[in-house]
Coordinates of all heavy atoms in Angstrom, one line a residue:
D18 N -3.3 -13.9 -11.4 CA -4.5 -14.7 -11.6 C -5.8 -13.9 -11.7 O -6.9 -14.4 -11.5 CB -4.6 -15.8 -10.5 CG -4.8 -15.2 -9.1 OD1 -4.6 -14.0 -9.0 OD2 -5.1 -16.0 -8.2
Y19 N -5.7 -12.6 -12.0 CA -6.8 -11.7 -12.1 C -7.9 -12.3 -13.0 O -7.6 -12.6 -14.2 CB -6.4 -10.3 -12.6 CG -7.5 -9.3 -12.7 CD1 -7.8 -8.5 -11.6 CD2 -8.1 -9.1 -13.9 CE1 -8.8 -7.6 -11.7 CE2 -9.1 -8.1 -14.1 CZ -9.5 -7.4 -13.0 OH -10.4 -6.4 -13.1
D20 N -9.1 -12.4 -12.5 CA -10.2 -12.9 -13.3 C -11.3 -11.8 -13.4 O -12.0 -11.4 -12.5 CB -10.9 -14.1 -12.5 CG -12.1 -14.7 -13.3 OD1 -12.5 -14.1 -14.3 OD2 -12.6 -15.7 -12.8
D21 N -11.4 -11.2 -14.7 CA -12.2 -10.0 -14.8 C -13.7 -10.3 -14.7 O -14.5 -9.4 -14.6 CB -11.9 -9.3 -16.2 CG -12.0 -10.2 -17.4 OD1 -12.8 -11.2 -17.3 OD2 -11.2 -10.0 -18.3
S22 N -14.1 -11.6 -14.7 CA -15.5 -11.9 -14.5 C -15.9 -11.6 -13.0 O -17.1 -11.6 -12.7 CB -15.8 -13.4 -14.8 OG -15.2 -14.2 -13.9
L23 N -15.0 -11.5 -12.1 CA -15.3 -11.3 -10.7 C -15.5 -9.9 -10.3 O -15.9 -9.6 -9.2 CB -14.2 -12.0 -9.8 CG -14.0 -13.5 -10.0 CD1 -12.9 -13.9 -9.1 CD2 -15.3 -14.2 -9.7
Y24 N -15.1 -8.9 -11.2 CA -15.0 -7.5 -10.7 C -15.8 -6.6 -11.6 O -15.6 -6.6 -12.8 CB -13.5 -7.1 -10.8 CG -12.6 -8.0 -10.0 CD1 -11.8 -8.9 -10.6 CD2 -12.6 -7.9 -8.6 CE1 -11.0 -9.8 -9.8 CE2 -11.8 -8.8 -7.8 CZ -11.0 -9.7 -8.5 OH -10.2 -10.5 -7.7
F25 N -16.7 -5.9 -11.0 CA -17.5 -4.9 -11.7 C -18.0 -3.9 -10.6 O -17.6 -4.0 -9.4 CB -18.7 -5.5 -12.4 CG -19.4 -6.5 -11.7 CD1 -20.4 -6.2 -10.8 CD2 -19.0 -7.9 -11.8 CE1 -21.1 -7.2 -10.1 CE2 -19.7 -8.9 -11.0 CZ -20.7 -8.5 -10.2
H26 N -18.7 -2.9 -11.0 CA -19.0 -1.8 -10.1 C -19.8 -2.1 -8.8 O -19.8 -1.2 -7.9 CB -19.6 -0.6 -10.8 CG -18.7 0.1 -11.7 ND1 -17.5 0.6 -11.3 CD2 -18.8 0.4 -13.0 CE1 -16.9 1.2 -12.3 NE2 -17.7 1.1 -13.4
Q27 N -20.4 -3.2 -8.7 CA -21.1 -3.6 -7.5 C -20.6 -4.9 -6.9 O -21.2 -5.5 -6.0 CB -22.6 -3.7 -7.7 CG -23.3 -2.3 -7.8 CD -23.2 -1.7 -9.1 OE1 -23.2 -2.3 -10.1 NE2 -23.0 -0.3 -9.1
S28 N -19.5 -5.4 -7.4 CA -19.0 -6.7 -6.9 C -18.4 -6.6 -5.5 O -17.6 -5.8 -5.2 CB -17.9 -7.2 -7.9 OG -17.3 -8.4 -7.3
P29 N -18.8 -7.6 -4.7 CA -18.3 -7.6 -3.3 C -16.8 -8.1 -3.3 O -16.2 -8.1 -2.2 CB -19.2 -8.6 -2.6 CG -19.7 -9.5 -3.7 CD -19.8 -8.6 -4.9
M30 N -16.3 -8.6 -4.4 CA -14.9 -9.1 -4.5 C -14.0 -7.9 -4.7 O -12.8 -8.1 -4.4 CB -14.8 -10.0 -5.7 CG -15.6 -11.3 -5.6 SD -15.1 -12.4 -4.3 CE -13.5 -12.9 -4.9
N31 N -14.4 -6.7 -5.1 CA -13.6 -5.6 -5.4 C -12.8 -5.2 -4.1 O -13.4 -4.9 -3.1 CB -14.4 -4.4 -5.9 CG -14.8 -4.6 -7.3 OD1 -14.9 -5.7 -7.8 ND2 -15.1 -3.4 -7.9
H32 N -11.5 -5.2 -4.3 CA -10.6 -4.7 -3.2 C -9.3 -4.2 -3.9 O -8.4 -5.0 -4.0 CB -10.3 -5.8 -2.1 CG -9.3 -5.3 -1.1 ND1 -8.2 -5.9 -0.7 CD2 -9.4 -4.1 -0.3 CE1 -7.5 -5.3 0.2 NE2 -8.2 -4.2 0.5
F33 N -9.3 -2.9 -4.2 CA -8.2 -2.3 -4.9 C -7.7 -1.1 -4.2 O -7.4 -0.1 -4.7 CB -8.5 -2.0 -6.4 CG -9.0 -3.2 -7.1 CD1 -10.4 -3.4 -7.3 CD2 -8.1 -4.1 -7.6 CE1 -10.8 -4.5 -8.0 CE2 -8.6 -5.3 -8.3 CZ -9.9 -5.5 -8.5
C34 N -7.8 -1.2 -2.8 CA -7.5 -0.1 -1.9 C -6.4 -0.4 -1.0 O -6.4 -1.4 -0.3 CB -8.8 0.2 -1.1 SG -8.7 1.5 0.0
S35 N -5.3 0.3 -1.1 CA -4.1 0.0 -0.4 C -4.2 0.3 1.1 O -3.5 -0.3 2.0 CB -2.9 0.9 -0.9 OG -2.7 0.8 -2.2
E36 N -5.1 1.2 1.5 CA -5.2 1.7 2.9 C -6.1 0.9 3.8 O -6.1 1.2 5.0 CB -5.6 3.2 2.8 CG -4.8 4.1 1.9 CD -3.4 4.1 2.3 OE1 -3.1 4.1 3.5 OE2 -2.5 4.1 1.4
M37 N -6.8 -0.1 3.3 CA -7.7 -0.9 4.1 C -7.6 -2.3 3.7 O -7.4 -2.7 2.5 CB -9.2 -0.4 4.0 CG -9.5 0.9 4.7 SD -11.2 1.4 4.4 CE -11.0 2.3 2.9
T38 N -7.8 -3.2 4.7 CA -7.9 -4.6 4.4 C -9.2 -4.9 3.7 O -10.1 -4.1 3.7 CB -7.8 -5.5 5.7 OG1 -9.0 -5.2 6.5 CG2 -6.6 -5.2 6.5
Y39 N -9.3 -6.1 3.1 CA -10.6 -6.4 2.4 C -11.8 -6.4 3.4 O -12.8 -5.9 3.2 CB -10.5 -7.8 1.8 CG -11.8 -8.3 1.3 CD1 -12.3 -7.9 0.1 CD2 -12.6 -9.2 2.0 CE1 -13.5 -8.3 -0.4 CE2 -13.8 -9.6 1.6 CZ -14.3 -9.2 0.3 OH -15.5 -9.6 -0.1
E40 N -11.5 -6.9 4.6 CA -12.6 -7.0 5.6 C -13.0 -5.6 6.1 O -14.2 -5.3 6.2 CB -12.1 -7.8 6.9 CG -12.0 -9.3 6.6 CD -10.7 -9.6 5.8 OE1 -9.8 -8.8 5.7 OE2 -10.7 -10.7 5.2
Q41 N -12.1 -4.7 6.3 CA -12.4 -3.3 6.7 C -13.2 -2.6 5.6 O -14.2 -2.0 5.9 CB -11.1 -2.5 6.9 CG -10.4 -2.9 8.2 CD -9.0 -2.3 8.3 OE1 -8.3 -2.0 7.3 NE2 -8.6 -2.0 9.6
L42 N -12.7 -2.8 4.3 CA -13.4 -2.1 3.2 C -14.8 -2.7 3.1 O -15.8 -1.9 2.9 CB -12.6 -2.3 1.9 CG -13.3 -1.7 0.7 CD1 -13.3 -0.2 0.7 CD2 -12.5 -2.2 -0.6
R43 N -15.0 -4.0 3.2 CA -16.3 -4.6 3.0 C -17.3 -4.2 4.0 O -18.5 -4.0 3.7 CB -16.1 -6.1 2.9 CG -17.3 -6.9 2.4 CD -17.6 -6.6 1.0 NE -18.9 -6.1 0.9 CZ -19.4 -5.3 -0.1 NH1 -18.5 -5.0 -1.1 NH2 -20.6 -4.8 -0.2
R44 N -16.8 -4.1 5.3 CA -17.7 -3.7 6.4 C -18.2 -2.3 6.1 O -19.4 -2.0 6.3 CB -17.0 -3.7 7.7 CG -16.9 -5.1 8.4 CD -16.6 -5.0 9.8 NE -15.3 -4.4 10.1 CZ -14.2 -5.1 10.1 NH1 -14.2 -6.4 9.9 NH2 -13.0 -4.5 10.3
L45 N -17.3 -1.4 5.7 CA -17.7 0.0 5.4 C -18.7 0.1 4.2 O -19.7 0.8 4.3 CB -16.4 0.8 5.2 CG -16.6 2.4 5.2 CD1 -17.3 2.9 6.4 CD2 -15.2 3.0 5.1
L46 N -18.3 -0.7 3.2 CA -19.2 -0.6 2.0 C -20.6 -1.2 2.2 O -21.5 -0.7 1.6 CB -18.5 -1.4 0.8 CG -17.2 -0.7 0.2 CD1 -16.7 -1.6 -0.9 CD2 -17.4 0.7 -0.3
S47 N -20.7 -2.2 3.0 CA -22.0 -2.8 3.3 C -22.9 -1.7 4.0 O -24.1 -1.7 3.6 CB -21.8 -4.0 4.2 OG -21.2 -5.0 3.6
K48 N -22.4 -0.9 4.9 CA -23.1 0.1 5.5 C -23.6 1.2 4.5 O -24.7 1.6 4.5 CB -22.3 0.8 6.6 CG -22.1 -0.1 7.8 CD -21.2 0.6 8.8 CE -20.9 -0.2 10.0 NZ -20.1 0.5 11.0
I49 N -22.6 1.5 3.6 CA -22.9 2.6 2.6 C -24.0 2.0 1.6 O -24.9 2.8 1.2 CB -21.6 3.0 1.8 CG1 -20.7 3.6 2.8 CG2 -21.9 3.9 0.6 CD1 -19.3 3.8 2.2
E50 N -23.9 0.8 1.2 CA -24.9 0.2 0.3 C -26.3 0.2 0.9 O -27.2 0.5 0.2 CB -24.4 -1.3 -0.1 CG -23.2 -1.3 -1.0 CD -22.5 -2.6 -0.9 OE1 -23.0 -3.6 -0.2 OE2 -21.4 -2.7 -1.6
R51 N -26.4 -0.1 2.1 CA -27.7 0.0 2.8 C -28.2 1.4 2.8 O -29.4 1.6 2.6 CB -27.7 -0.7 4.2 CG -27.4 -2.2 4.2 CD -27.7 -2.8 5.5 NE -26.8 -2.4 6.5 CZ -25.6 -3.0 6.8 NH1 -25.3 -4.0 6.1 NH2 -24.8 -2.5 7.7
M52 N -27.3 2.3 3.1 CA -27.7 3.7 3.1 C -28.2 4.2 1.8 O -29.2 4.9 1.7 CB -26.5 4.6 3.6 CG -26.8 6.1 3.6 SD -25.3 7.1 3.6 CE -25.0 7.0 1.8
V53 N -27.5 3.8 0.7 CA -27.9 4.2 -0.6 C -29.2 3.7 -1.0 O -30.1 4.4 -1.6 CB -26.8 3.8 -1.7 CG1 -27.3 4.0 -3.1 CG2 -25.5 4.6 -1.5
D54 N -29.5 2.4 -0.7 CA -30.8 1.8 -0.9 C -31.9 2.5 -0.2 O -33.0 2.7 -0.7 CB -30.8 0.3 -0.6 CG -30.2 -0.5 -1.7 OD1 -30.0 0.0 -2.8 OD2 -29.8 -1.7 -1.4
R55 N -31.6 2.9 1.1 CA -32.6 3.6 1.9 C -32.9 5.0 1.2 O -34.1 5.4 1.1 CB -32.1 3.9 3.3 CG -32.3 2.7 4.2 CD -32.2 3.1 5.7 NE -31.0 3.9 6.0 CZ -29.8 3.3 6.3 NH1 -29.7 2.0 6.4 NH2 -28.8 4.1 6.6
I56 N -31.9 5.7 0.8 CA -32.1 7.0 0.1 C -32.9 6.9 -1.2 O -33.8 7.6 -1.5 CB -30.7 7.7 -0.1 CG1 -30.1 8.1 1.3 CG2 -30.9 8.9 -1.0 CD1 -28.7 8.6 1.2
N57 N -32.5 5.9 -2.0 CA -33.1 5.7 -3.3 C -34.5 5.1 -3.3 O -35.3 5.4 -4.1 CB -32.2 4.9 -4.2 CG -30.9 5.6 -4.7 OD1 -30.9 6.9 -4.6 ND2 -29.9 4.9 -5.1
Y58 N -34.7 4.2 -2.4 CA -35.9 3.4 -2.4 C -36.7 3.3 -1.1 O -37.8 2.8 -1.0 CB -35.7 1.9 -2.8 CG -34.8 1.8 -4.1 CD1 -33.5 1.3 -4.0 CD2 -35.3 2.1 -5.3 CE1 -32.8 1.2 -5.1 CE2 -34.6 2.0 -6.5 CZ -33.3 1.5 -6.3 OH -32.5 1.4 -7.5
G59 N -36.0 3.8 0.0 CA -36.5 3.4 1.3 C -37.5 4.3 2.0 O -38.4 4.7 1.4
K60 N -37.3 4.4 3.2 CA -38.3 5.0 4.1 C -38.5 6.5 4.0 O -37.8 7.3 4.5 CB -37.9 4.7 5.6 CG -37.9 3.2 5.9 CD -37.4 2.9 7.3 CE -37.3 1.4 7.5 NZ -36.8 1.1 8.9
L61 N -39.5 6.8 3.1 CA -39.8 8.2 2.9 C -41.1 8.5 3.7 O -42.0 7.7 3.9 CB -40.1 8.5 1.4 CG -38.9 8.2 0.5 CD1 -39.4 8.5 -0.9 CD2 -37.7 9.0 0.8
T62 N -41.2 9.7 4.2 CA -42.5 10.2 4.8 C -43.5 10.3 3.7 O -43.2 10.3 2.5 CB -42.3 11.5 5.5 OG1 -42.1 12.5 4.5 CG2 -41.2 11.5 6.5
M63 N -44.8 10.3 4.1 CA -45.9 10.4 3.1 C -45.7 11.7 2.3 O -45.9 11.7 1.1 CB -47.2 10.4 3.8 CG -48.4 10.4 2.9 SD -48.4 8.9 1.8 CE -48.9 7.6 3.0

């Protein structure tokens, strides 16, 4: 029942990893996403 409208490079539905459950992967990715936003846009010194 794969629905290609649900999956793309930033989709929270993506889970194509054999070694982690969806919940484990999502928890880890959420931390990484916040880190990437901080690096790209976030708290820089003057």
Side-chain angles (χ1 to χ4, degrees):
D18 61 350
Y19 180 85
D20 179 354
D21 52 34
S22 69
L23 300 177
Y24 306 104
F25 44 87
H26 285 309
Q27 282 80 38
S28 171
M30 298 293 290
N31 284 21
H32 177 233
F33 304 98
C34 182
S35 305
E36 307 301 320
M37 283 179 272
T38 65
Y39 173 80
E40 290 75 19
Q41 289 173 325
L42 179 65
R43 192 64 242 156
R44 279 197 298 271
L45 192 52
L46 292 180
S47 294
K48 292 179 181 178
I49 296 168
E50 288 159 5
R51 291 193 294 272
M52 180 201 77
V53 170
D54 279 343
R55 281 198 305 273
I56 292 172
N57 287 342
Y58 310 108
K60 297 177 181 178
L61 302 178
T62 66
M63 186 61 72

